[in-house]
Amino acid sequence: MNLLYKSTRNASLSVTASEAILKGLAEDGGLFVPEFIPQLDISMEELKEKSYQEIAYIVMKQFFTDFTEEELKDCIKSAYDEKFDTEEIAPLVKIGDTYHLELFHGATIAFKDMALSILPHLLTTSAKKNHVTKEIVILTATSGDTGKAAMAGFQDVPGTKIIVFYPKGGVSPVQERQMVTQKGNNTAVVALHGNFDHAQSGVKALFEDRQLQEKLAQSGYQFSSANSINIGRLIPQVVYYVYAYAKLLKHQQITAGEKINVTVPTGNFGNILAAYYAKEMGVPIKKLLCASNENKVLYDFFETGTYDKNREFILTSSPSMDILVSSNLERLIYAISGQDAQMTAKCMDQLKQKGVYEITPEMRERLSDFIGGYATEYETAKMICDTYRATGYVMDPHTAVAAYVCKSYQEKRDDLAKELVVSTASPYKFLKSVMTAIDEKYQTMDEFDLIEELHKKSGTPVPMAVSEIKNAKIRHRRECDVKDMEKTVLDILGIEV
């Protein structure tokens, strides 16, 4: 059966999976969602013996129904290969009494690699299927990790260009260095004078600008997205939740059908939405713990039913979560409203006009699977330090936020379910924050001099992604104001303003 995709803001609009991947964003500004969440057609007992690549095919074939078996398997084979430094792609590690799903073993040492290593292949395959002749321009906003992972994935991919906007001063030194040293004749990086929300809303505005679309088309270009607004990025993230449960079963940490809790550090909501989709597919997940840093707009939403972005934007040690407008939450709003596109559009319009919206009591009842939690900067640093002292395991600040929320939940609730913490980035990506949390003496050391110190502390090898950028050539120095984003894009593409 062919699974079609609808816009969250227009029930009458439907497209195929490949069309949704190509477009990235619906023409009405909505996000593409499947008409229904398909069920897994294979038992966990069978899945537990499968490789990551095999599970990826089993999950993705259910969603991307207009891809042939050969096309989808080729995409998966090209994505999950020696770019990852572990054979299992997403290792499970037991730390104390919780299980950490390490999603940072790809080329850019962050969880974004899990989806962005396959998106270029899904996108170019989709372009061929739909007879696209224009060059595809990937336009992306990043809070630190998406940008590098997207550029690494799309570097020199024929028929594509990629332009990344990141908030100047709003990412870690390693994240910034990774981006500005990116190779590839089709890559461009722009430091934006603003925060991530400015970058994200600016990119969405460019997508929704019909005059700009026409100008691009006349020059032989069309936009697509590598952000998690693209369904081709969200669905591959569902895979690792199915995989994690299967592996817990294989290693006899759980019994078949036993429900687990999953804690996800998230700002843009895509990563935890993928866990929700996995639960809807049939993975026995009990509670979804949504872990925020001090930008706790999601925590407040789950506590009150009101989403309010009108607050101070705080720069934290977990910059990939420094977000006040969680774009993927729109897909959940659509789901809990009973797929009411009109209601969803109304909420998103209120968010755009007033910065706040409130869901109905009925919608709130459908959020019972979710629990919000957050960690302060002090609690995050303490979690890194306490875990290191107790176990020798070193985690990055985003993972520490999740670990703290998980621990707090365990202490407060009478819930004996096994706990899975999603570990989203390597500690090598946030050297100063991690090392200072372990010992304040590292505060005065240069960020890149801490590489060897972390290596000694953790006993883990220095990732290639870090060692290769230390002395890499700076290739991208472009900066711009928010009001100049369109002009900057046209300039990069060589189109007259």
Side-chain angles (χ1 to χ4, degrees), residues 14 18 31 74 137 222 240 271 380 415 421 480:
S14 62
S18 62
L31 308 189
D74 279 348
V137 179
Q222 71 178 63
Y240 48 73
N271 204 359
T380 302
D415 186 340
V421 169
C480 85

Side-chain angles (χ1 to χ4, degrees), residues 75 90 101 107 139 155 175 217 263 289 312 322 337 366 402 472 476:
C75 289
L101 179 64
L139 191 61
Q155 179 187 328
Q175 286 176 313
T263 308
L289 277 65
E312 180 190 0
D322 291 346
S337 68
R366 293 178 186 143
H476 306 276

Side-chain angles (χ1 to χ4, degrees), residues 467-484:
S467 58
E468 70 183 7
I469 63 168
K470 192 172 181 183
N471 300 307
K473 178 184 174 185
I474 305 292
R475 296 171 181 272
H476 306 276
R477 300 182 185 274
R478 196 184 295 258
E479 298 187 15
C480 85
D481 294 331
V482 176
K483 64 180 175 60
D484 295 325

Side-chain angles (χ1 to χ4, degrees), residues 133-164:
T133 55
K134 295 182 180 70
E135 189 157 6
I136 297 167
V137 179
I138 308 299
L139 191 61
T140 292
T142 185
S143 54
D145 289 334
T146 288
K148 172 61 182 180
M151 286 189 291
F154 281 95
Q155 179 187 328
D156 293 327
V157 170
T160 69
K161 290 188 185 300
I162 177 164
I163 302 170
V164 170

Side-chain angles (χ1 to χ4, degrees), residues 301-320:
F301 169 71
F302 286 115
E303 287 290 299
T304 66
T306 298
Y307 193 96
D308 188 354
K309 71 162 190 169
N310 300 315
R311 62 184 70 204
E312 180 190 0
F313 184 94
I314 303 166
L315 291 173
T316 73
S317 60
S318 46
S320 298

Side-chain angles (χ1 to χ4, degrees), residues 342-375:
Q342 199 173 352
M343 176 69 181
T344 307
K346 181 184 170 187
C347 287
M348 294 308 114
D349 187 58
Q350 288 174 345
L351 182 65
K352 188 174 183 178
Q353 301 303 326
K354 299 178 182 176
V356 61
Y357 64 84
E358 185 176 359
I359 61 173
T360 66
E362 293 78 20
M363 290 166 73
R364 281 198 73 184
E365 283 177 22
R366 293 178 186 143
L367 288 176
S368 59
D369 291 342
F370 288 88
I371 293 171
Y374 73 97

Side-chain angles (χ1 to χ4, degrees), residues 110-142:
F111 82 99
K112 308 292 172 75
D113 290 321
M114 303 300 295
L116 283 166
S117 58
I118 193 169
L119 182 60
H121 305 288
L122 293 172
L123 193 65
T124 50
T125 302
S126 295
K128 286 176 194 165
K129 293 175 80 65
N130 290 277
H131 312 292
V132 170
T133 55
K134 295 182 180 70
E135 189 157 6
I136 297 167
V137 179
I138 308 299
L139 191 61
T140 292
T142 185

Side-chain angles (χ1 to χ4, degrees), residues 178-217:
Q178 281 188 307
M179 286 189 280
V180 299
T181 59
Q182 175 65 46
K183 296 176 183 177
N185 294 323
N186 64 337
T187 64
V189 185
V190 185
L192 191 73
H193 302 145
N195 59 40
F196 172 72
D197 287 329
H198 294 133
Q200 179 167 254
S201 59
V203 163
K204 284 194 81 173
L206 294 179
F207 268 99
E208 293 168 18
D209 188 330
R210 292 290 146 248
Q211 285 184 312
L212 177 60
Q213 302 277 4
E214 288 170 18
K215 189 176 280 191
L216 284 170

